[in-house]
Amino acid sequence: SQTIHQWPATLVQPVGSPLSLECTVEGTSNPNLYWYRQAAGRGLQLLFYSVGIGQISSEVPQNLSASRPQDRQFILSSKKLLLSDSGFYLCAWRGWGYDYGYTFGSGTRLTVV
Amino acid sequence: SQKIEQNSEALNIQEGKTATLTCNYTNYSPAYLQWYRQDPGRGPVFLLLIRENEKEKRKERLKVTFDTTLKQSLFHITASQPADSATYLCAPYSGGGADGLTFGKGTHLIIQP
């Protein structure tokens, strides 16, 4: 069966520090991968999606970037964090075809101080 | 612009009754619509998908309807239980690619024992 791993679970980082969040998927190949952010009291905001290695589409211009160095690995990064980057970051994958729902990871709670 | 509206206020329902949640959308022509459940501090969990040519779909105590004329989906939980308390998100999708889902902000459902 397919599983998705996301770490770390919580992170407290100072303003201006770098960020690297990792997401890996097991039990599937060539998945569509997504990064979402959920700020306090707000809905899910799509940040990036990827259909394959090295292919990244950005939905929102911001201080963040994403990379997909391997088929089942998706990384979210920042060179310098802002206070506004605080939030709950979620990785998700979807199999091919429209019938599939998204499978989300357990999320990373990021607090920028 | 595309807009998804869900009840922003919490919905309180007595245990055993049927809970009905509403999802309205504008400027969308979704090929299908998905519903998810999200518990505090966790990622959303996929519940049901309904296609535009399906009027109704059921899964155990869950029922979803989809009215493309009204641009509305209703999500019903029958014989509700306190364990059903969570935030429920809807996500209409127009299809056509791997681009990510846009979610409503969700309705917080509270089942009172």
Side-chain angles (χ1 to χ4, degrees), chain B residues 93-107:
Chain B
Y93 185 60
S94 299
D99 49 316
L101 285 176
T102 299
F103 290 83
K105 291 185 179 180
T107 297

Side-chain angles (χ1 to χ4, degrees), chain A residues 18-81:
Chain A
L19 174 73
S20 181
L21 302 180
E22 188 164 341
C23 170
T24 59
V25 181
E26 293 179 359
T28 186
S29 59
N30 201 23
N32 293 330
L33 296 173
Y34 305 86
W35 278 111
Y36 282 86
R37 176 172 62 200
Q38 192 170 35
R42 303 185 67 179
L44 285 163
Q45 179 187 31
L46 177 64
L47 302 176
F48 301 95
Y49 68 92
S50 171
V51 300
I53 296 173
Q55 300 179 65
I56 307 296
S57 296
S58 173
E59 290 294 306
V60 182
Q62 65 225 320
N63 180 35
L64 302 170
S65 62
S67 61
R68 187 166 174 178
Q70 300 180 43
D71 181 44
R72 288 171 286 179
Q73 184 184 32
F74 203 21
I75 297 172
L76 183 71
S77 304
S78 174
K79 292 183 179 177
K80 287 185 179 181
L81 284 168

Side-chain angles (χ1 to χ4, degrees), chain A residues 32 34 36 38 41-44 46 49 51 59 88 90 94 96-102 104-106 109, chain B residues 32 34 36 38 40-46 49 51 89 93 95-105:
Chain A
N32 293 330
Y34 305 86
Y36 282 86
Q38 192 170 35
R42 303 185 67 179
L44 285 163
L46 177 64
Y49 68 92
V51 300
E59 290 294 306
F88 190 43
L90 290 155
R94 177 172 73 89
W96 288 101
Y98 300 137
D99 290 349
Y100 295 95
Y102 284 30
F104 283 84
S106 53
R109 175 75 59 191
Chain B
Y32 59 83
Q34 301 185 16
Y36 289 76
Q38 187 174 23
R42 311 284 293 270
V45 174
F46 171 68
L49 178 153
R51 296 171 180 265
L89 311 172
Y93 185 60
D99 49 316
L101 285 176
T102 299
F103 290 83
K105 291 185 179 180

